[in-house]
């Protein structure tokens, strides 16, 4: 699953990379601040490219909420939904069946720009966090769907069965986020594609040769430590994992 991300690129870089514009200049200082670790369960604000306005980067709240809710009900919904993962991830296999996702599957898909993301590896019943990013250090585009609650976008990141690369890392749940190739992003946001087209994009595996993964500090998982600091994305070697 994908519950932890990192967004440290400046908004101007994201605009240039994804060929979009920020929805408002007033939010640029907010999203120019680097977030080395965003914990999904805190339901942070992140930038997304929504299908309905595919030429903009707009703020969204991580954790999809049913569209029949009111903005005043979002916090209570998150408290209730935490036992189901807080709406942070959506299994792509259920995209067209699950009541919460199917209404967004064709008309409210989105791209979530990230610098990287974290996944847990289990060894001898202990969890070790890995950080995954592009080898070229360019932004990655994760596939998602969203809802609109009053004026708020709430979104979820799509996941699928792990590729061989991710299976070695996320070795218990064996899941990974859906990462979009650059040439797929425009297609993903196209309102005219079919259900089969959506599934084809999801099933495509992002080239493993473009990614790098390494272990980082276990402070990532500690609620007692401020992990939104630069050192959280620095490599930490664990001798017991030398065979991975």
């Amino acid at each position: 699953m994908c519950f932890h991300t990192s967004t440290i690129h400046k908004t101007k870089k994201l605009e240039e990379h994804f060929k979009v514009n920020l929805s408002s200049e007033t939010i640029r200082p907010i999203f120019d601040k680097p977030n080395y670790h965003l914990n999904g369960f805190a339901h942070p604000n992140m930038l997304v490219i929504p299908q309905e306005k595919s030429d903009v980067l707009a703020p969204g709240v991580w954790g999809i909420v049913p569209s029949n809710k009111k903005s005043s009900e979002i916090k209570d919904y998150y408290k209730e939904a935490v036992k189901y993962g807080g709406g942070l991830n959506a299994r792509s296999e259920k995209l067209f069946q699950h009541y919460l996702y199917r209404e967004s599957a064709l008309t409210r898909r989105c791209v979530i720009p990230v610098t990287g993301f974290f996944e847990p590896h289990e060894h001898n019943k202990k969890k070790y966090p890995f950080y995954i990013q592009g080898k070229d250090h360019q932004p990655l585009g994760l596939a998602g769907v969203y809802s609109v609650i009053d004026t708020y976008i709430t979104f979820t990141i799509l996941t699928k069965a792990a590729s061989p690369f991710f299976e070695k890392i996320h070795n218990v749940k064996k899941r990974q986020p859906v990462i979009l190739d650059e040439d797929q992003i425009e297609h993903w946001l196209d309102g005219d594609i079919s259900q089969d087209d959506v599934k084809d994009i999801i099933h495509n595996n992002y080239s493993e040769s473009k990614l790098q993964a390494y272990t980082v500090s276990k402070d990532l998982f500690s609620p007692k430590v401020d992990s939104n600091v630069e050192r959280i994305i620095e490599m930490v070697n664990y001798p017991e994992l030398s065979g991975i």
Side-chain angles (χ1 to χ4, degrees):
M1 311 304 278
C2 184
F3 296 145
H4 305 269
T5 64
S6 175
T7 58
I8 61 177
H9 287 107
K10 295 285 189 180
T11 53
K12 182 58 79 174
K13 172 66 176 178
L14 298 178
E15 287 176 306
E16 292 171 353
H17 184 82
F18 292 99
K19 299 178 178 62
V20 292
N21 294 303
L22 201 60
S23 60
S24 170
E25 281 299 318
T26 62
I27 65 174
R28 194 177 296 276
I30 298 170
F31 289 101
D32 271 347
K33 179 182 177 183
N35 282 293
Y36 299 98
H37 175 211
L38 288 168
N39 184 338
F41 288 101
H43 300 288
N45 285 302
M46 295 173 63
L47 291 172
V48 302
I49 306 171
Q51 184 179 354
E52 292 167 296
K53 291 186 178 180
S54 59
D55 59 342
V56 305
L57 274 170
V61 184
W62 189 3
I64 195 167
V65 176
S67 57
N68 62 354
K69 297 289 184 181
K70 299 176 182 177
S71 57
S72 59
E73 299 174 307
I74 291 177
K75 287 186 178 180
D76 287 339
Y77 177 80
Y78 284 149
K79 290 178 183 177
E80 178 186 322
V82 68
K83 55 190 172 185
Y84 306 114
L88 304 179
N89 291 168
R91 294 178 70 91
S92 58
E93 298 89 340
K94 297 182 178 180
L95 185 58
F96 290 97
Q97 287 81 41
H98 194 285
Y99 82 97
L100 188 50
Y101 316 137
R102 65 189 178 206
E103 65 178 44
S104 299
L106 287 177
T107 60
R108 285 181 170 168
R109 295 185 301 275
C110 63
V111 177
I112 304 101
V114 299
T115 304
F117 55 93
F118 304 86
E119 295 287 7
H121 177 84
E122 193 166 310
H123 178 74
N124 290 337
K125 298 184 178 180
K126 294 180 180 179
K127 289 185 177 181
Y128 298 80
F130 273 74
Y131 183 58
I132 299 98
Q133 63 178 347
K135 283 183 179 178
D136 59 4
H137 300 286
Q138 294 296 308
L140 297 173
L142 305 184
V145 294
Y146 65 98
S147 65
V148 178
I149 313 295
D150 297 336
T151 59
Y152 295 94
I153 291 174
T154 72
F155 71 91
T156 186
I157 294 171
L158 292 179
T159 67
K160 64 180 182 178
S163 69
F165 175 85
F166 282 102
E167 196 172 80
K168 291 178 183 177
I169 298 169
H170 202 186
N171 60 331
V172 176
K173 297 290 187 180
K174 298 183 178 180
R175 303 288 295 177
Q176 69 167 89
V178 176
I179 309 172
L180 299 167
D181 281 317
E182 286 186 38
D183 59 359
Q184 291 179 319
I185 288 175
E186 185 176 350
H187 198 39
W188 178 253
L189 296 172
D190 186 347
D192 294 326
I193 65 173
S194 68
Q195 180 172 321
D196 286 341
D197 291 331
V198 171
K199 290 180 178 179
D200 285 343
I201 295 172
I202 290 170
H203 289 153
N204 180 70
N205 279 330
Y206 190 83
S207 176
E208 297 176 355
S209 65
K210 296 180 182 179
L211 297 171
Q212 65 177 170
Y214 55 85
T215 44
V216 296
S217 172
K218 291 182 182 179
D219 284 350
L220 185 86
F221 297 137
S222 175
K224 297 178 181 180
V225 177
D226 178 9
S227 54
N228 188 16
V229 291
E230 187 172 4
R231 68 174 180 81
I232 206 64
I233 59 172
E234 295 174 355
M235 183 185 295
V236 174
N237 289 313
Y238 300 95
E240 60 269 37
L241 300 184
S242 59
I244 297 173

